[in-house]
């Protein structure tokens, strides 16, 4: 197994350990912010005039309010543990509600002096710092697992995202495939549902990967699904396979090419058989149904089904908790649970159709020959 010119790297166990410590620091910051609120409440409670109302703000109350958000963040991290470059967004699920709930200083801060007054009156500042620090730590944790590009990253299942220079598109190198996300639309018919414009090549079907220098002429590299990539001058990447050819403007293209070749050699699983004519046509019909659905906004697209699963799943839990009697608990959970199940089935069907369209934007080669 050739490593090419990629460095060995510190090892994924070291990377995961450091990333885990950084994520644990986010938890410590959120807990510290809640503790500071409790401390501020105790200080102001001791100096407020007795004739004024004295609402009690306890850390346990804030923790109960934040618990659902913390649980949602944990679920998000569990679902996207292979996509560390998305962790910063997930951190906002817990830190933003923390900042909003703890942004106002408790009544009575004006009666404090010195450092105590600063600690209590600075509640908005501490809340903003909580969000910013959590986001920065999540970004750092993601970079620990993805940078520098090395052989230990290549042989892992960590998904890597690279920006295309001068484009809004992204190159995603997953554990079993490489995907091109959000290429520029050329055909107006492809404008409605952005996720239908993605392309994918399974690593088992990648034929060649090479770094090239782009001069910016021609201006666009057209892709087989009615989209294109703007070619800006500088380093680039050429990927061929599965009847597709991509030319992508990527910074540090040589390292990305080496990493992609190394991951191709260390891939797990195969690409699977090509779809039959009937399967391909059925997938294309499903894609067109998604494209035409719901006022042209793609309401049958996988992401909308995914939102439905999350929404009805949350309502299932909420209805079970809110109802006192077992009949109400079971009735509410059954209704919302069936809705979540229906969205899950629709999501899987739409996802499978989109996946066929990504890997086979044109009919399989044997069908074109026939």
């Amino acid at each position: 197994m050739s490593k090419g010119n990629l460095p060995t790297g510190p090892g994924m166990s070291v990377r995961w350990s450091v990333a885990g410590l950084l994520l644990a620091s986010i938890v410590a910051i959120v807990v510290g912010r809640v503790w500071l609120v409790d401390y501020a409440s105790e200080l102001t409670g001791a100096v407020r005039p007795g004739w004024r109302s004295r609402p009690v703000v306890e850390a346990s109350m804030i923790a109960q309010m934040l618990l659902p958000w913390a649980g949602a963040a944990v679920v998000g991290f569990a679902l996207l543990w292979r996509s560390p470059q998305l962790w910063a967004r997930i951190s906002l699920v817990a830190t933003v509600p923390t900042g909003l709930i703890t942004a106002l200083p408790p009544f009575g801060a004006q009666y404090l002096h010195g450092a105590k007054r600063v600690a209590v009156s600075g509640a908005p500042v501490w809340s903003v710092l909580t969000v910013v620090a959590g986001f920065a730590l999540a970004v750092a944790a993601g970079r620990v697992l993805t940078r520098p590009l090395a052989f230990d990253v290549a042989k892992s299942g960590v998904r890597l995202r690279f920006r295309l220079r001068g484009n809004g598109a992204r190159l995603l190198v997953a554990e079993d495939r490489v995907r091109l996300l959000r290429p520029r639309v050329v055909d107006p018919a492809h404008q409605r549902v952005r996720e239908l414009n993605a392309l994918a090549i399974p690593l088992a079907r990648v034929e060649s990967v090479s770094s090239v220098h782009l001069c910016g002429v021609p201006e666009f590299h057209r892709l087989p699904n009615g989209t294109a990539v703007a070619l800006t001058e500088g380093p680039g990447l050429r990927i061929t396979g599965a009847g597709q050819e991509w030319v992508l403007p990527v910074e540090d293209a040589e390292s990305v090419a080496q990493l992609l070749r190394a991951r191709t050699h260390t891939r797990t699983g195969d690409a699977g058989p090509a779809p039959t004519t009937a399967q391909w046509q059925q997938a294309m019909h499903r894609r067109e149904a998604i494209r035409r659905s719901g006022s042209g906004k793609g309401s049958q697209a996988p992401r909308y089904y995914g939102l439905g699963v999350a929404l009805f799943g949350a309502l299932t839990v909420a209805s079970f908790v809110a109802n006192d009697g077992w009949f109400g608990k079971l009735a509410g959970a059954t209704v919302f649970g069936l809705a979540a199940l229906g969205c899950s089935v629709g999501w899987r069907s739409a996802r499978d159709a989109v996946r066929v369209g990504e890997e086979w934007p044109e009919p399989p080669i044997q069908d074109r020959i026939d």
Side-chain angles (χ1 to χ4, degrees):
M1 185 182 300
S2 175
K3 298 183 181 181
N5 296 323
L6 285 176
T8 303
M12 291 309 296
S13 59
V14 175
R15 291 178 185 264
W16 277 109
S17 298
V18 176
L21 289 175
L22 292 172
L23 294 179
S25 299
I26 301 176
V27 177
I29 288 175
V30 172
V31 173
R33 181 71 191 102
V34 175
W35 173 85
L36 185 58
V37 170
D38 189 57
Y39 172 70
S41 179
E42 291 181 2
L43 286 179
T44 55
V47 299
R48 281 182 301 196
W51 55 269
R52 294 186 181 271
S53 61
R54 300 181 59 173
V56 178
V57 179
E58 297 179 351
S60 59
M61 296 172 56
I62 297 177
Q64 290 177 8
M65 298 173 66
L66 294 176
L67 190 59
W69 299 103
V74 170
V75 171
F77 277 112
L79 293 176
L80 296 177
W81 68 275
R82 287 186 175 181
S83 302
Q85 289 163 318
L86 300 179
W87 287 356
R89 304 177 190 179
I90 301 175
S91 70
L92 299 177
V93 175
T95 57
V96 169
T98 302
L100 292 176
I101 293 173
T102 61
L104 295 178
F107 174 77
Q110 67 271 27
Y111 298 105
L112 296 171
H113 301 281
K116 292 182 178 180
R117 182 168 183 172
V118 172
V120 175
S121 301
V125 176
W126 313 140
S127 294
V128 171
L129 289 178
T130 298
V131 177
V132 172
F135 188 86
L137 288 169
V139 170
R143 290 189 65 84
V144 164
L145 287 174
T146 58
R147 299 290 188 275
L149 296 180
F151 187 71
D152 57 345
V153 177
K155 68 179 181 179
S156 71
V158 172
R159 297 174 184 141
L160 300 153
R161 291 173 178 260
F162 302 96
R163 296 175 181 267
L164 300 193
R165 188 176 59 254
N167 293 263
R170 301 288 187 272
L171 176 68
L172 171 63
V173 182
E175 62 275 13
D176 62 342
R177 67 191 57 242
V178 58
R179 298 182 67 204
L180 180 60
L181 308 177
R182 295 183 291 179
R184 180 173 299 187
V185 174
V186 177
D187 184 353
H190 293 245
Q191 188 71 46
R192 292 178 176 176
V193 187
R194 188 173 63 183
E195 66 187 296
L196 297 185
N197 300 326
L199 288 169
I201 302 177
L203 294 181
R205 293 199 181 102
V206 171
E207 297 171 2
S208 67
V209 180
S210 60
S211 59
V212 296
H213 180 79
L214 304 176
C215 61
V217 179
E219 187 178 359
F220 292 97
H221 174 71
R222 291 184 176 268
L223 298 165
N225 64 342
T227 61
V229 173
L231 300 182
T232 59
E233 186 173 359
L237 192 66
R238 185 188 301 273
I239 306 173
T240 61
Q244 302 183 50
E245 181 184 29
W246 302 351
V247 179
L248 311 174
V250 181
E251 296 295 344
D252 197 16
E254 180 60 34
S255 294
V256 177
Q258 292 175 15
L259 180 137
L260 185 53
R261 286 193 290 265
R263 180 159 289 189
T264 301
H265 294 152
T266 59
R267 70 180 186 273
T268 57
D270 53 31
T276 64
T277 300
Q279 290 172 336
W280 186 83
Q281 291 177 344
Q282 183 179 10
M284 294 303 103
H285 291 156
R286 183 74 173 100
R287 280 167 55 88
E288 287 306 310
I290 294 173
R291 202 182 298 280
R292 295 191 303 266
S293 64
S295 302
K297 301 299 183 182
S299 60
Q300 298 180 30
R303 67 176 178 270
Y304 289 103
Y305 281 121
L307 290 174
V309 172
L311 174 62
F312 287 115
L315 290 175
T316 300
V317 177
S319 65
F320 190 86
V321 173
N323 287 286
D324 295 329
W326 279 102
F327 177 80
K329 288 178 179 292
L330 294 177
T334 299
V335 171
F336 292 121
L338 289 175
L341 180 61
C343 287
S344 178
V345 173
W347 174 80
R348 183 177 180 84
S349 174
R351 183 197 62 176
D352 291 344
V354 169
R355 188 163 183 166
V356 171
E358 287 182 357
E359 296 182 19
W360 302 94
E362 296 179 351
I365 187 65
Q366 64 268 24
D367 296 333
R368 297 201 298 269
I369 295 176
D370 294 342

